[in-house]
Amino acid sequence: MTNIQTKRELNKEFKDVKYILTSSMRAKLLLALYEIPKNLDELRHELKKPSATILHGLKELETINLVRRAHKYYELTSNGYLLTTNMIKLIENWYSLSKSETFWDNHDLSDIPEDIIKNIYLLKDVEYVSSTTSDLSIAFNKYIQLISEASKLQIILPIYSENHFKHLIDLLNSNKLQKLELIMNKEIYESIHKNRKFQKELLKHENVKTTVIDKDLKIFLTYGEEFMALTLFFKDGHYDDSQILIGHDQNSLNWAYELIKYSRR
C-alpha cells in the first residue's frame, strides 16, 4: 500500500470513527449489539430510550452498513464488528492512559514499539505505585517484594544496578528463584562480567540465562508467572525507580510478554 493509499484509508477510518463518536446513541447501539443480536424491546430496555430514538439511530447505522436487521433482531455487520472492536480499544486505551497519566506523561516511550503501544489498553487494570518525598523507596520495596515471591523471572535489564543484582543473587542462592533470564545490552553484560562476584553468582549460575541484544532499550520490564512490573526512563535519559506499574491480570501479562519477545529480536 502506498503512502497516499494509507492516508486515504486512515482518513476514511477517522471519518467513520468520528461519525460514531459524535453521537452517543450510535455509539451505544454498536456497543449494545457487540456481543449478541437484540430486538427493539431489548435495546429499549438496555438503553432506556424511546423506540423512535433507537430506530432512528439504527437506520443511520444501517445506511452506512454497520448494522443490519435479521427478522426481528438487529446485529452488527462485519464492518460494524470491526469498527466497534477498534472503538472499544480506543476507549480502553484512553482509560488506561488516563488512569496512569503521570507515569506515561513523565517518561520516554520511544523504545516501546508501535504495535505494543497500540495495545496499551491491556494495562487498564494495572496498579500505579509512586514513591514520595518522605519515602523514596516505596516503589523499589514494592518491586523487591514481588520478585521475592517469584520462582521464574524474565527481565529486560537496561541499567547496571548492584542493588538489584544482590537481591537476585540472594533469591538464586536460597533456591526461591528457579529460573532467571536477563536480557541486556553488551555494555551492561561486560560490566557485570568484570565483577567477580556477579560473574560467578549471577552470570554463571546454573539457573540463569543471559540474552545479549544490540539495542540499548530504555525499558526496565520484569515478567513473572503471576505479575509484570514496568519502570521507565525520564525524557532526559535518566532512569526513574520512583514510579512503577504493576499488573497481575492476564491482559497485562500478555502485554509484557509481547515486549519480552520484541526485546529478544
Side-chain angles (χ1 to χ4, degrees):
M1 184 179 288
T2 66
N3 288 335
I4 294 176
Q5 288 174 318
T6 301
K7 288 178 181 178
R8 285 175 180 168
E9 291 297 326
L10 287 174
N11 285 334
K12 181 180 181 300
E13 184 75 14
F14 174 75
K15 288 178 181 177
D16 289 343
V17 173
K18 183 180 178 182
Y19 178 75
I20 298 304
L21 294 181
T22 51
S23 165
S24 60
M25 178 49 61
R26 289 192 288 262
K28 288 177 180 178
L29 282 169
L30 290 177
L31 293 172
L33 298 173
Y34 186 62
E35 293 184 351
I36 58 172
K38 292 173 183 173
N39 60 33
L40 182 59
D41 286 340
E42 290 170 327
L43 290 171
R44 187 172 60 238
H45 177 75
E46 181 175 338
L47 301 178
K48 310 297 183 188
K49 295 291 183 181
S51 298
T53 303
I54 292 173
L55 288 171
H56 179 72
L58 289 169
K59 185 64 177 177
E60 290 178 326
L61 294 173
E62 284 184 273
T63 301
I64 57 175
N65 192 34
L66 297 181
V67 167
R68 63 172 167 243
R69 185 174 179 178
H71 303 295
K72 294 183 179 181
Y73 285 82
Y74 294 89
E75 63 185 12
L76 298 182
T77 63
S78 295
N79 286 344
Y81 182 82
L82 290 172
L83 188 139
T84 306
T85 299
N86 287 327
M87 183 176 71
I88 291 171
K89 284 185 178 181
L90 174 64
I91 294 169
E92 290 183 333
N93 274 338
W94 185 264
Y95 172 76
S96 181
L97 289 169
S98 299
K99 184 180 176 183
S100 307
E101 183 177 1
T102 303
F103 181 85
W104 297 116
D105 277 352
N106 290 342
H107 295 114
D108 182 359
L109 309 181
S110 59
D111 282 340
I112 303 178
E114 183 180 345
D115 287 345
I116 296 178
I117 283 287
K118 286 179 181 177
N119 292 330
I120 212 166
Y121 69 93
L122 294 173
L123 301 183
K124 60 186 175 67
D125 293 322
V126 297
E127 175 189 7
Y128 169 65
V129 178
S130 178
S131 299
T132 63
T133 52
S134 58
D135 188 350
L136 299 175
S137 61
I138 291 177
F140 181 75
N141 289 340
K142 181 70 173 179
Y143 175 77
I144 296 303
Q145 178 186 346
L146 285 170
I147 66 171
S148 298
E149 299 168 356
S151 60
K152 296 179 182 179
L153 291 174
Q154 293 170 287
I155 302 176
I156 300 176
L157 186 68
I159 59 170
Y160 179 90
S161 170
E162 294 191 359
N163 201 9
H164 283 81
F165 300 155
K166 288 175 182 176
H167 283 286
L168 291 172
I169 289 171
D170 287 343
L171 293 172
L172 288 165
N173 290 339
S174 66
N175 291 321
K176 289 183 178 179
L177 189 55
Q178 298 295 316
K179 188 175 181 180
L180 171 65
E181 180 183 6
L182 297 174
I183 303 168
M184 67 192 94
N185 64 30
K186 187 176 180 180
E187 181 181 353
I188 294 172
Y189 177 84
E190 290 178 348
S191 297
I192 299 174
H193 200 271
K194 290 177 183 178
N195 184 303
R196 290 186 178 182
K197 176 180 173 64
F198 295 155
Q199 178 190 148
K200 178 183 177 181
E201 298 188 37
L202 192 61
L203 295 184
K204 293 187 176 181
H205 195 284
E206 62 181 356
N207 292 342
V208 177
K209 173 187 176 182
T210 56
T211 301
V212 181
I213 58 178
D214 293 330
K215 189 171 182 180
D216 181 17
L217 292 176
K218 292 183 174 62
I219 304 165
F220 197 136
L221 176 69
T222 303
Y223 173 76
E225 293 176 298
E226 297 182 355
F227 80 96
M228 58 77 66
L230 177 69
T231 50
L232 295 171
F233 286 68
F234 287 121
K235 293 176 182 179
D236 63 5
H238 291 89
Y239 173 65
D240 175 25
D241 64 355
S242 67
Q243 300 177 66
I244 185 171
L245 290 186
I246 298 168
H248 296 278
D249 61 292
Q250 193 58 51
N251 282 335
S252 61
L253 292 177
N254 291 344
W255 188 90
Y257 184 63
E258 289 301 316
L259 196 47
I260 291 286
K261 288 198 300 183
Y262 163 78
S263 69
R264 290 202 195 102
R265 296 197 297 268

